[in-house]
Amino acid sequence: MSGQRPLLNLGPISPTPPPSYAAAHDDEEDEKDAPPKRWYHYLPLCATVIMLLAPHPSMLYVLVNYHLRILHAPHRFLLHLCITYALTFLAFSSLIAILIRDPGPVNVEKREQSAQSEDMNVLQALLTSDDEDIHTPGKWCRKCWAPKPERAHHCSHCRRCILKMDHHCAWLGYKCLGHRTYTSFLHFLLCITLLALYISVLCSSVVYFAFTNPLSIDETTPVHAMMLAFAGFMILIVIGPFVAYHAYLVSTNQTTLEHLSPFLLLRQLPKLPEAPAGQHRLSDPPLEHELSYSQRRLIREAHGHIRQYDIGWKKNWAQVLGWDRPYGWIYRIVIGGVGKGDGRNFPRNPRADDMLARLAADLVDLDKDR
Ligand SMILES: [Zn+2]
Ligand SMILES: [Zn+2]
C-alpha cells in the first residue's frame, strides 16, 4: 500500500496525509502501524504476571500442610485448589485476550478492499461529509487522516484511533483498552480481586488456627499464610476501589476518558444559539482555551450530570457484557466476552440532547457578560 499519495487540499486541514494514513485503513495494519514497543514497556506486564504467579508456591504449601497433613481433609483441599487455579486460569485467559485482541479497529470494514478503493472511500468521505463535520473535533482525526467514529479517541501512545477508547494501560502490555477489550479488562479485574479475596480469607483462617492451636501446626505454615493474607489484603486495597470505579463507569455508561475529561462535552454541543446583542466570541463548537473561568466551571458542573449514553443501568451493563454470538456465555465466562454492537453507534440518553442544548445556551449567555 502506498502511504504518500496526495489527497484533497481542504484548507485548514493538513493538505498532505501523514505517511501512515493508508495503513491506518486496515485493522490488521493498525497494530503494525503502532510505534515499536521498547523492552521497558513490557516491565509492568511482567510485574502483573509475576504478581499472579508469585502466591502459588506458598499457597500450595499452605493447602498441603494445613488441609492434608493437619486437618486430613482431602475434599476441602481439592475444592480450594480448584477454586484457586480456576480463578488464576480465568485471569490469565482474559489477560491473553487483552494482549492479542485489537482493542478497537476503526477501519474494519475496509479490510478486504484494495488500496485504490480505500482512496476512493476516503475521498468520498471527505466529499460527502459537510464542512462542519470535517472541522468538528471528534468527527475527523487529523492524525490518522480518517473519519473518527462516535466515542473513538486517538491514542498518542498507540498513534491511532481506538473505538470507544477507555484508557491506555501500561500494566497490560502497553496497550489501549477499547470496545473489543474493555469487557476482558473488567473480567481480569474481577478475577484478580476474587483471587486476592479468596486467598486472604483462606490464609487468615489458617493464621487464626495457628494462634488458637499452636501445638498442632508447624512453624513455617503460619508464616506463609500470614504473608499471603497480607499480600491479598494489599491487592484488595489497591484493586478494590479500581473495580468499584469501573463498576460505576459501566453503570453510568461512561469510559474513563469521558469521565475524566469534562471538556469533551464541548465536542457534543449542538450549534450555538446566536447572541441577540452582537456575536459571541466562541467558536462553534467552542474550544477549551476560549472559555472564561465561569464558563469552565459551568462545563465542569454540567459534566457531572449530563450522561449522554446512560440508558439505565441494566441496559448499560448489557451493552458492555453483551455477546450476541452462539455460545456467547462460554466466552463471557472465559474472557468476559466483548461489548455489544459495532463500537461506532451507541444508543443515546433521550434527555441528553435537551441538556446539551441548554448548556450551549448558558455558555452563550455567560459569554455576553464577559
Ligand atoms: Zn486518530
Ligand atoms: Zn494506546
Side-chain angles (χ1 to χ4, degrees), residues 6-212:
L7 275 176
L8 290 178
N9 187 343
L10 289 170
I13 299 178
S14 167
T16 48
S20 59
Y21 119 85
H25 284 261
D26 189 313
D27 71 320
E28 288 174 355
E29 293 295 325
D30 275 359
E31 292 262 278
K32 293 178 197 164
D33 192 42
K37 288 179 190 167
R38 307 272 179 191
W39 62 270
Y40 50 79
H41 288 150
Y42 292 100
L43 289 181
L45 176 66
C46 292
T48 308
V49 173
I50 289 170
M51 190 188 76
L52 268 171
L53 293 176
H56 289 285
S58 288
M59 190 66 193
L60 273 177
Y61 187 83
V62 171
L63 286 179
V64 170
N65 269 0
Y66 181 63
H67 290 97
L68 278 186
R69 291 191 183 152
I70 297 168
L71 296 185
H72 302 290
H75 293 107
R76 235 188 286 173
F77 165 77
L78 272 178
L79 179 75
H80 292 315
L81 196 72
C82 287
I83 292 174
T84 307
Y85 279 93
L87 285 172
T88 309
F89 167 77
L90 292 176
F92 269 109
S93 59
S94 47
L95 177 63
I96 291 167
I98 291 168
L99 294 178
I100 62 174
R101 294 200 89 174
D102 190 315
V106 167
N107 296 293
V108 68
E109 77 279 5
K110 296 188 175 77
R111 188 191 303 171
E112 304 298 331
Q113 294 174 349
S114 67
Q116 191 182 0
S117 65
E118 279 175 6
D119 274 358
M120 288 307 294
N121 279 339
V122 173
L123 289 170
Q124 207 176 6
L126 288 169
L127 292 168
T128 52
S129 304
D130 51 24
D131 282 348
E132 192 186 316
D133 269 6
I134 289 174
H135 290 94
T136 302
K139 300 278 175 68
W140 182 265
C141 180
R142 298 181 187 202
K143 291 170 184 160
C144 299
W145 197 256
K148 190 196 275 183
E150 196 176 1
R151 301 184 89 178
H153 288 279
H154 185 92
C155 174
S156 53
H157 299 286
C158 303
R159 294 189 201 161
R160 48 173 286 213
C161 283
I162 309 286
L163 290 178
K164 201 186 173 190
M165 178 176 162
D166 189 82
H167 67 281
H168 182 90
C169 187
W171 291 94
L172 304 177
Y174 201 72
K175 280 187 83 167
C176 267
L177 295 162
H179 173 65
R180 296 180 72 204
T181 50
Y182 183 66
T183 321
S184 297
F185 170 67
L186 290 181
H187 183 269
F188 177 74
L189 281 187
L190 187 68
C191 288
I192 54 173
T193 308
L194 287 179
L195 185 62
L197 180 69
Y198 192 77
I199 288 179
S200 51
V201 170
L202 198 65
C203 291
S204 298
S205 70
V206 178
V207 174
Y208 177 76
F209 178 87
F211 275 111
T212 48

